[in-house]
Amino acid sequence: MKTPDSFKRDTQIVHMGSDPDAYNGIVNPPVYHASTFIFKSVEHLLETRRDRASGAFEQFTYGREGTPTTRALEDAVTQLEGGFRAVVTSCGLGAICASLTAFLSAGDHLLILDSLYGPVRQFCDEFLSKFGVQVTYYDPLVGAGIAELVQPNTKVIYLESPCSLTFEMMDVPAIAAVARARGIVTIMDNTWASPLCFQPLKHGVDISIHAATKYISGHSDLMLGIAVCNEETFIPVKKTASGSGYCGGPDDVYMALRGLRTLGLRIPRHQETATTVARWLQGRPEVARVMYPALPDDPGHALWKRDFTGASGLFGAVLKPCSEKQFAAMLDHLELFRMGYSWGGYESLVVPTYPATLRSARPWTDTGPALRLHAGLEDPDDLIRDLERGFARLAAAA
Ligand SMILES: *Cc1c(COP(=O)(O)O)cnc(C)c1O
């Protein structure tokens, strides 16, 4: 259920998608484990077919199309992002692939940013190309200059801001305006910001995607994706997700909705800790630069400040050149920043990154090793001490 628009954001996060009157007064919507829905009559069955054919997708007909639990999560995130309706998928990559394939056919052209989430680049190079879609990677700093890259067959412009691994900020409204004027669909990966810090649809984007695996669920224990659509894009995305088999599991959907309830508390804490750790790193002699748009001296700070209302806990750093042995000595024995993919959970994480291998439009000129850090909900003093011991090991391994 939608909460009144007059409610402030934190009130909405607590109450949206919740309907106790429908569930015997129980606060949370139940987990429906369902493949089969029983039809009362032939007329009822035909009614659901008409519902689907009309693109309404209001009625429940089969587990793959979702359950009331799925709808509760979709409604909640839709409301936070100011969308029309959303589609929950099995994982974030599923939401991206469903959204891209909903609007691209053989002979079409896709403009997609360089330095994007790696597996999406693989999907473009290995799968979209196989189906005859032409893909161009563009410089994420292009802004309104994207107009010069548009071709007569360009159907989709894909954005992610800040970029994966390298955290450049994009001028989202400028790119969305160019696309809108030409009838090109825009799809944005908004996972970094979570629905709290940026709402792409309010800046002219058509579809906003989250790996709900990350901050929305918040506990590193499930895989789920969501595509929040405007009125023009909902039906194609819903049909493609459902028709390609991208559906989320009932327990994961329930847990994502549970995680969402505390998002308003978690994100500001992630930002605060990330800012503290990032500033500390900036002062270290081993560090060449830190990549976190919430820092005032970050090249993307002005755009971040203009468009975003906060930052999450994920950021990057480039060290001054050192040996592979020194770099490994630092990372291998960190106690709190454990090494692992994903992020957005309550715990801190680190991974070495190799940005040069994931870009072609904008060269990577740094020579030192790069890192991606996720500031979790631990005490920042402990996190800093962990990194400090890491730098001591790096020095000792020289
Ligand atoms: C993790 C991630 C995804 C993919 O989500 P999965 O649920 O892991 O499939 C997409 N975009 C970004 C920015 C991510 O970090």
Side-chain angles (χ1 to χ4, degrees):
M1 276 228 310
K2 202 170 182 300
T3 54
D5 287 333
S6 61
F7 282 177
K8 299 235 162 134
R9 193 195 64 198
D10 285 347
T11 311
Q12 283 177 344
I13 293 175
V14 171
H15 291 283
M16 63 198 182
S18 166
D19 188 8
D21 290 343
Y23 307 119
N24 302 305
I26 294 165
V27 170
N28 290 300
V31 188
Y32 286 96
H33 287 101
S35 56
T36 303
F37 295 74
I38 301 296
F39 302 105
K40 296 185 200 82
S41 61
V42 172
E43 175 47 31
H44 181 202
L45 184 146
L46 290 175
E47 189 189 314
T48 62
R49 287 172 69 100
R50 283 194 295 272
D51 171 74
R52 207 175 184 291
S54 74
F57 290 99
E58 287 295 342
Q59 306 203 5
F60 299 106
T61 53
Y62 188 53
R64 196 171 54 221
E65 314 258 313
T67 68
T69 326
T70 322
R71 191 68 58 78
L73 177 64
E74 289 171 348
D75 289 351
V77 180
T78 297
Q79 188 172 351
L80 274 181
E81 293 236 342
F84 171 66
R85 278 183 69 181
V87 182
V88 158
T89 54
S90 44
C91 65
L93 186 61
I96 294 166
C97 297
S99 301
L100 286 170
T101 50
F103 298 100
L104 291 167
S105 308
D108 289 344
H109 176 234
L110 164 68
L111 275 171
I112 190 160
L113 77 149
D114 216 8
S115 61
L116 78 161
Y117 179 65
V120 180
R121 195 175 181 111
Q122 261 166 27
F123 177 74
C124 293
D125 293 347
E126 293 173 18
F127 297 101
L128 283 185
S129 58
K130 194 167 80 173
F131 291 100
V133 174
Q134 190 195 341
V135 180
T136 302
Y137 293 96
Y138 66 84
D139 179 344
L141 303 184
V142 70
I146 192 92
E148 285 154 39
L149 302 176
V150 169
Q151 303 178 5
N153 59 339
T154 305
K155 291 288 161 57
V156 175
I157 300 179
Y158 184 96
L159 310 90
E160 181 185 348
S161 181
C163 304
S164 270
L165 308 186
T166 47
F167 300 90
E168 296 95 336
M169 289 296 299
M170 300 183 62
D171 193 338
V172 177
I175 293 172
V178 168
R180 195 148 284 248
R182 291 162 178 74
I184 298 167
V185 171
T186 44
I187 304 172
M188 176 168 175
D189 185 330
N190 195 33
T191 305
W192 181 86
S194 91
L196 287 202
C197 305
F198 186 64
Q199 291 84 38
L201 273 62
K202 294 181 185 165
H203 291 82
V205 171
D206 295 304
I207 303 168
S208 164
I209 291 177
H210 290 276
T213 308
K214 312 288 167 58
Y215 284 116
I216 289 179
S217 68
H219 294 74
S220 310
D221 51 4
L222 63 85
M223 305 292 298
L224 215 58
I226 187 160
V228 183
C229 305
N230 59 14
E231 202 161 350
E232 294 74 42
T233 55
F234 169 70
I235 294 175
V237 174
K238 174 71 187 172
K239 281 188 172 165
T240 309
S242 157
S244 314
Y246 297 115
C247 63
D251 290 307
D252 291 344
V253 168
Y254 177 85
M255 297 223 288
L257 191 57
R258 182 162 84 161
L260 184 64
R261 302 291 177 205
T262 56
L263 191 67
L265 287 175
R266 289 185 282 117
I267 293 291
R269 175 68 185 267
H270 284 295
Q271 176 175 353
E272 205 181 304
T273 303
T275 303
T276 305
V277 174
R279 284 224 170 95
W280 179 82
L281 281 170
Q282 281 185 317
R284 290 293 308 195
E286 300 88 347
V287 175
R289 65 189 183 101
V290 172
M291 301 171 282
Y292 187 46
L295 294 178
D297 49 356
D298 187 276
H301 186 71
L303 280 178
W304 174 79
K305 209 167 168 189
R306 186 191 72 187
D307 296 340
F308 285 49
T309 52
S312 65
L314 192 75
F315 64 98
V318 180
L319 303 188
K320 291 189 182 147
C322 65
S323 71
E324 275 177 38
K325 184 170 152 240
Q326 283 180 293
F327 190 47
M330 176 188 182
L331 293 190
D332 281 350
H333 303 286
L334 291 169
E335 267 182 285
L336 297 173
F337 282 99
R338 304 297 294 274
M339 219 184 310
Y341 290 130
S342 198
W343 43 276
Y346 51 85
E347 81 287 14
S348 290
L349 288 169
V350 68
V351 276
T353 60
Y354 307 94
T357 63
L358 281 174
R359 52 210 284 147
S360 48
R362 188 178 182 80
W364 180 254
T365 51
D366 292 79
T367 49
L371 298 172
R372 186 186 72 188
L373 299 108
H374 179 247
L377 300 176
E378 299 95 337
D379 190 294
D381 291 346
D382 290 329
L383 295 177
I384 285 172
R385 267 196 294 276
D386 196 26
L387 294 172
E388 198 164 31
R389 285 191 290 264
F391 284 131
R393 286 191 300 276
L394 185 148

